[in-house]
C-alpha cells in the first residue's frame, strides 16, 4: 500500500495491480459516531500517465456500524466505491495529490474516501 516512485516506474509499460485488507480500528476510536468498522478491502491498479504522474484506480469495500439516529441501535452501512486518484511531484498541480519524499502511501487516502461516504444520520427504517 506504499510505494516509492522508483518502484512505480518499473510498471511504465503495464499497470501495477494490487489488493489487500487494512484495519482502521485506531482511526475509528477517534470518531464518536462510528461504533466499529470491518476491515477495509481494497484493490486496484496504478498506471504511469506522465513524468512523475501516476493514476491509481481503487475499489474500496467495507461495512461500518453506525448509531441509529432515533434508537441508538447499531446499524450496518455498506461502503462500496470506486476512486481515481492522481499523484504527482508538481506541488502546484491542483488536480493531483503531491508526492512527498518520493513515496505514494494509500493508507490515509483510503480512510479519507471511506469517511466521506459516512452519512450524517442513519436509521434502520
Amino acid at each position: 500500500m506504499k510505494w516509492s516512485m522508483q518502484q512505480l516506474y518499473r510498471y511504465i509499460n503495464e499497470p501495477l495491480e494490487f489488493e489487500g485488507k487494512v484495519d482502521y480500528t485506531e482511526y475509528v476510536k477517534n470518531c464518536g459516531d462510528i461504533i466499529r468498522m470491518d476491515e477495509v478491502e481494497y484493490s486496484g491498479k496504478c498506471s504511469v500517465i506522465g513524468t512523475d504522474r501516476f493514476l491509481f484506480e481503487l475499489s474500496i469495500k467495507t461495512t461500518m456500524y453506525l448509531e441509529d439516529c432515533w434508537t441508538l441501535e447499531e446499524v450496518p452501512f455498506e461502503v462500496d466505491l470506486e476512486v481515481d486518484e492522481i499523484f504527482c511531484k508538481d506541488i502546484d498541480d491542483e488536480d493531483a495529490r503531491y508526492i512527498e519524499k518520493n513515496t505514494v502511501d494509500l493508507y490515509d487516502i483510503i480512510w479519507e474516501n471511506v469517511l466521506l461516504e459516512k452519512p450524517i444520520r442513519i436509521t434502520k427504517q
Side-chain angles (χ1 to χ4, degrees):
M1 185 148 67
K2 187 175 188 177
W3 300 272
S4 69
M5 287 177 58
Q6 184 179 10
Q7 289 172 313
L8 294 175
Y9 273 123
R10 291 182 191 155
Y11 297 92
I12 198 161
N13 294 322
E14 62 183 56
L16 161 68
E17 295 187 11
F18 53 90
E19 64 180 37
K21 293 181 180 181
V22 65
D23 184 13
Y24 288 103
T25 302
E26 291 301 313
Y27 281 36
V28 170
K29 288 179 184 178
N30 296 325
C31 291
D33 51 350
I34 301 176
I35 298 170
R36 64 186 171 91
M37 188 167 71
D38 293 344
E39 281 189 323
V40 177
E41 298 176 16
Y42 65 90
S43 62
K45 65 181 181 177
C46 171
S47 305
V48 179
I49 57 172
T51 304
D52 296 339
R53 284 180 70 83
F54 306 93
L55 171 63
F56 281 81
E57 299 171 77
L58 300 168
S59 175
I60 302 169
K61 295 181 183 184
T62 191
T63 301
M64 63 176 74
Y65 299 87
L66 308 170
E67 290 181 343
D68 182 288
C69 65
W70 297 106
T71 65
L72 301 181
E73 292 177 22
E74 191 175 276
V75 179
F77 180 76
E78 300 284 329
V79 176
D80 186 359
L81 58 135
E82 303 291 323
V83 177
D84 292 342
E85 294 282 351
I86 298 174
F87 292 83
C88 77
K89 284 296 290 181
D90 183 3
I91 198 166
D92 296 325
D93 189 339
E94 295 178 5
D95 296 328
R97 293 182 181 264
Y98 178 64
I99 299 174
E100 293 184 47
K101 300 179 184 175
N102 292 327
T103 311
V104 173
D105 187 357
L106 297 180
Y107 189 78
D108 288 336
I109 305 301
I110 292 172
W111 170 250
E112 177 182 302
N113 281 285
V114 168
L115 201 57
L116 286 172
E117 292 297 306
K118 183 180 69 66
I120 295 172
R121 293 180 1 167
I122 192 167
T123 185
K124 277 189 173 180
Q125 293 180 355

